[in-house]
Amino acid sequence: MTVTSAFDAAGTARRRKILIIVENLPVPFDRRVWAEAQSLREAGYDVCVICPRGPFAESPFESIDSIEIYRHPLPIQAEGKLGYFAEYSTALFWQCVYSFKVLRIRGFDAIHACNPPDLIFLVGAIYKYLFGKKFVFDHHDLNPELFEAKFGNRGLLWRALVFLERMTFRVADISIATNLSYARVAIQRGKMKPDRVFVVRSGPDLARVRELPPDVTWRNGRAHLVAYVGVIGEQEGIDLLLEAVRHITSTRQRSDIQFVVMGGGPSLKKLKETCARMQLSEFVNFTGRVDDTTLFKVLSTADVCVNPDRPNVMNDMSTMNKIMEYMALGKPIVQFDLTEGRVSAQSASLYARKTDTVDFGNKILELIDDPARCQEMSIYGRQRVRDELSWEHEGPKLIAAYEALFK
């Protein structure tokens, strides 16, 4: 039974209150954070979220499903080291301001911090050591590895990120890892006690991920559609996908496949320009960030979905939400051969050799030209998500972590 009650000064039982802080995406568009918030609310907790504003989420305050969402300004979209410093500093300022506002208006018993960046522990430390609040670290990204993937080196800033990660784990009462690779980092690098580390995977919420009638206009008059959804940044490997598209259209002389790339991010403008220079614009549609209806309409229309994440330590150890959403919709997948990608998709995906864009393109064609194999992979992916990976299986693990937190 979930224990969600605390007691006020008069000894009266009250519901526990959780403040979630996330900087990476606005809520409810951060799908993992929104699923966590809903699970906590359903378990009897009062939940409030602080996040940045963004497309389709520009209101400074909104209440959705009894979850209060405070959205702060974030006028800077990071590019380069100075850009990230400016973005994260701005976000940290607003997180402090809004957290004091939430404390004054409604109070909270715990801060649930979702990285990146590993700076939210500074907010958590204030409330933990001055006000006795709990601090939960929800470990979404390996920031030292992410820095190395973006900038290709280790130096003073990399060492600073290792220090910030260590301090985050030190302040945390419990740590939530998205997979076993992250759990090992928490225990080995973060020196967390194993019984204070909980694995809660980013399983898709099957109540949200829905198949819609196909819309053939997305095919742009072509017979087949290949889709991608995710952040458009350096480590996401969209440039590698474009090389694979060039191989498909030029070397393999295939003009029957349309590609749709959905998502926003710091590299979107540059990649659209690259696509134009490669003379691929007629084959590739960059949509920017889209709403859920458009997202699931495109994915439902797609024959194959792709994850071209650039092979590096960060991506090798990370679980990608898109993979399990593809599987939930019964889409065969092509991705590079990365450890956690294989753990998630198993037989629902083909795996190209690392950074080999010719092999990546050939595997897309292999699936396009073999509908029977696609059907087998579709059935396997749907069943694996339904029986093992959906949020229905992960939500109770989150609640168990909170039971341990307040025990």
Side-chain angles (χ1 to χ4, degrees), residues 136 154 160 261 382:
V136 177
R154 295 185 177 187
V261 177
R382 286 183 192 272

Side-chain angles (χ1 to χ4, degrees), residues 225-405:
L225 181 68
V226 174
Y228 166 90
V229 60
V231 176
I232 311 299
E234 285 290 331
Q235 70 273 13
E236 280 73 28
I238 305 302
D239 59 322
L240 300 177
L241 176 61
L242 292 177
E243 291 289 350
V245 175
R246 180 158 60 182
H247 169 71
I248 289 169
T249 57
S250 297
T251 306
R252 297 291 301 270
Q253 294 289 298
R254 294 288 292 264
S255 59
D256 59 337
I257 306 170
Q258 184 71 24
F259 294 80
V260 175
V261 177
M262 295 177 287
S267 298
L268 178 58
K269 180 181 177 182
K270 181 174 72 174
L271 285 165
K272 290 175 74 173
E273 293 169 351
T274 300
C275 182
R277 285 197 303 272
M278 296 172 72
Q279 299 184 330
L280 296 174
S281 296
E282 65 173 301
F283 296 102
V284 184
N285 179 8
F286 287 90
T287 67
R289 186 174 292 168
V290 297
D291 57 48
D292 273 3
T293 300
T294 303
L295 168 66
F296 294 125
K297 181 73 73 172
V298 173
L299 293 182
S300 297
T301 308
D303 301 284
V304 173
C305 288
V306 293
N307 177 36
D309 280 338
R310 188 178 301 281
N312 54 45
V313 175
M314 163 70 187
N315 288 336
D316 191 63
M317 297 175 66
S318 299
T319 298
M320 304 303 175
N321 292 339
K322 64 177 79 71
I323 292 296
M324 286 178 283
E325 292 193 348
Y326 296 161
M327 294 165 65
L329 291 168
K331 300 302 171 181
I333 303 163
V334 176
Q335 59 182 315
F336 289 115
D337 194 359
L338 301 174
T339 298
E340 289 294 338
R342 271 192 181 270
V343 169
S344 296
Q346 296 186 8
S347 298
S349 178
L350 297 186
Y351 301 92
R353 292 184 295 272
K354 295 182 179 181
T355 70
D356 188 336
T357 56
V358 170
D359 191 33
F360 199 97
N362 287 339
K363 282 185 165 51
I364 291 174
L365 294 178
E366 190 177 327
L367 291 180
I368 291 290
D369 295 335
D370 192 348
R373 186 175 188 185
C374 287
Q375 182 65 16
E376 292 175 4
M377 295 168 70
S378 171
I379 294 170
Y380 176 85
R382 286 183 192 272
Q383 183 173 346
R384 177 159 165 74
V385 168
R386 185 186 67 239
D387 295 345
E388 300 179 54
L389 299 178
S390 71
W391 187 254
E392 178 185 2
H393 302 287
E394 299 304 316
K397 298 175 185 177
L398 174 70
I399 303 309
Y402 267 86
E403 290 174 352
L405 175 70

Side-chain angles (χ1 to χ4, degrees), residues 55-130:
F56 307 108
E58 297 172 353
S59 173
F61 175 81
E62 190 172 6
S63 180
I64 306 175
D65 296 342
S66 300
I67 298 169
E68 295 183 352
I69 305 170
Y70 292 85
R71 301 190 183 102
H72 60 76
L74 194 61
I76 302 163
Q77 190 172 56
E79 280 195 67
K81 297 175 185 177
L82 291 178
Y84 281 101
F85 176 80
E87 176 187 329
Y88 294 156
S89 299
T90 302
L92 185 63
F93 168 78
W94 287 114
Q95 287 159 8
C96 289
V97 170
Y98 276 62
S99 64
F100 279 113
K101 181 177 182 178
V102 173
L103 182 70
R104 177 175 55 83
I105 294 173
R106 63 191 299 281
F108 53 84
D109 299 293
I111 287 180
H112 181 124
C114 309
N115 81 331
D118 289 336
L119 291 173
I120 306 175
F121 82 91
L122 295 169
V123 183
I126 293 171
Y127 293 102
K128 177 173 180 173
Y129 298 120
L130 296 183

Side-chain angles (χ1 to χ4, degrees), residues 30-50:
D30 190 311
R31 298 187 286 280
R32 174 183 172 88
V33 174
W34 187 238
E36 289 174 323
Q38 290 182 306
S39 290
L40 288 167
R41 183 212 61 215
E42 290 165 5
Y45 294 91
D46 284 339
V47 182
C48 180
V49 180
I50 294 173

